[in-house]
Amino acid sequence: AAELGLKDPGKIVVCGDVPFRPFEEEDPTSPTGYKGFDVDISQEIADGLGVELEFKDATFDTLQSGLALNSGQCDMSASGMTITEDRKKEIAFSDGYYDSLQSLLVPKDSDVKELGDLNGKKIAVQQGSTGSAYAEKKAEGAELVYLPSDAEMFQALQGNQVDAILQDLPVNLDHTKDGEYAIVAEYDTGEEYGLAIKKDNTKLVEAVNAELQEIRDSGRYQEIYDSYFAE
Ligand code: ARG
């Protein structure tokens, strides 16, 4: 693994913004201290590359801007991060590994049915996210409340500091589990998650893509997918 440009050749340091359930969250019982779809995919990749996995929490905005990767704080980011042309100016992406949409989460008794209903109201978005960019374009008249993590967004909704959350569908779906909040609108933004890597590290991008292909071919990807997303 010497040619992969890892900071420590024996391990791959993978960063994710935690919690972003079911993609990454803390789990003291797991060997890495974390669990989730992104963590499992990262583990497969690390195994395939023959290195150890160190999973690390990092603020999403520092991941999507390239700061954490280009400074060498992380070798790779697995953080439910959408591949965008804008981000590609600063970071490299693997092939896509998950398709996602945006969605609007509100308290069950809310009158809000879509972004257009939020005129004069407050909507929580994650700093630096594709959801925040979408809300900037589509939530006319709404006040956007930018928060660094999904946990803080959900707390703001629970504390009635905001009227709604715009976030990736699978993550908002997780917030409907206690029965108090509902997804009232889905927006098909055609987003695809990619693993992010330092821009000039073509070798690692190629190796990671080969591992992704390998776990798709072996059926392992489907197994992991089903364990999180099967109905
Ligand atoms: N998919 C969205 C984006 O790329 C949100 C990702 C947020 N991820 C996280 N781990 N908090 O902007």
Side-chain angles (χ1 to χ4, degrees):
E3 68 285 6
L4 295 176
L6 302 173
K7 217 173 150 206
D8 170 345
K11 75 174 179 199
I12 185 163
V13 179
V14 178
C15 293
D17 170 50
V18 176
F20 196 65
R21 221 170 293 128
F23 295 92
E24 43 264 342
E25 65 185 291
E26 278 183 35
D27 176 11
T29 69
S30 144
T32 57
Y34 297 93
K35 70 174 177 187
F37 184 74
D38 284 340
V39 182
D40 288 359
I41 297 291
S42 300
Q43 186 66 62
E44 293 295 322
I45 290 170
D47 291 350
L49 298 176
V51 296
E52 246 178 86
L53 170 66
E54 180 184 334
F55 201 88
K56 243 171 53 176
D57 190 8
T59 307
F60 184 70
D61 206 22
T62 70
L63 295 175
Q64 70 85 25
S65 67
L67 194 69
L69 290 163
N70 294 332
S71 69
Q73 192 189 326
C74 332
D75 294 310
M76 183 170 93
S77 152
S79 194
M81 198 199 292
T82 304
I83 301 170
T84 71
E85 288 310 312
D86 221 31
R87 289 172 180 167
K88 276 190 195 165
K89 293 176 195 155
E90 301 299 330
I91 47 189
F93 282 100
S94 72
D95 294 335
Y97 69 95
Y98 185 89
D99 294 327
S100 192
L101 308 87
Q102 290 297 321
S103 65
L104 194 64
L105 183 79
V106 299
K108 263 210 153 141
D109 56 6
S110 170
D111 295 333
V112 172
K113 296 285 172 248
E114 46 156 330
L115 277 173
D117 298 337
L118 284 157
N119 198 334
K121 296 198 157 84
K122 289 185 179 171
I123 173 165
V125 293
Q126 182 154 15
Q127 260 161 30
S129 72
T130 50
S132 74
Y134 192 76
E136 281 160 17
K137 277 194 293 205
K138 307 277 179 175
E140 246 182 84
E143 180 185 336
L144 303 192
V145 178
Y146 294 85
L147 293 168
S149 71
D150 185 70
E152 283 154 281
M153 291 162 65
F154 193 53
Q155 272 163 24
L157 187 64
Q158 287 177 312
N160 297 313
Q161 286 133 292
V162 296
D163 302 286
I165 286 179
L166 188 74
Q167 183 59 287
D168 296 14
L169 177 63
V171 177
N172 267 345
L173 207 53
D174 194 81
H175 291 313
T176 64
K177 281 186 179 154
D178 65 3
E180 294 196 44
Y181 299 91
I183 290 169
V184 286
E186 294 181 7
Y187 301 99
D188 189 355
T189 46
E191 295 183 46
E192 198 178 12
Y193 294 170
L195 302 163
I197 290 163
K198 191 176 182 171
K199 200 177 173 192
D200 59 11
N201 194 350
T202 322
K203 285 260 160 52
L204 187 56
V205 175
E206 281 168 10
V208 165
N209 281 339
E211 295 306 329
L212 279 175
Q213 191 56 51
E214 164 70 27
I215 63 170
R216 283 190 191 270
D217 293 345
S218 69
R220 185 65 191 127
Y221 174 90
Q222 195 61 44
E223 251 173 52
I224 295 173
Y225 187 94
D226 290 344
S227 75
Y228 290 96
F229 304 110
E231 302 293 291

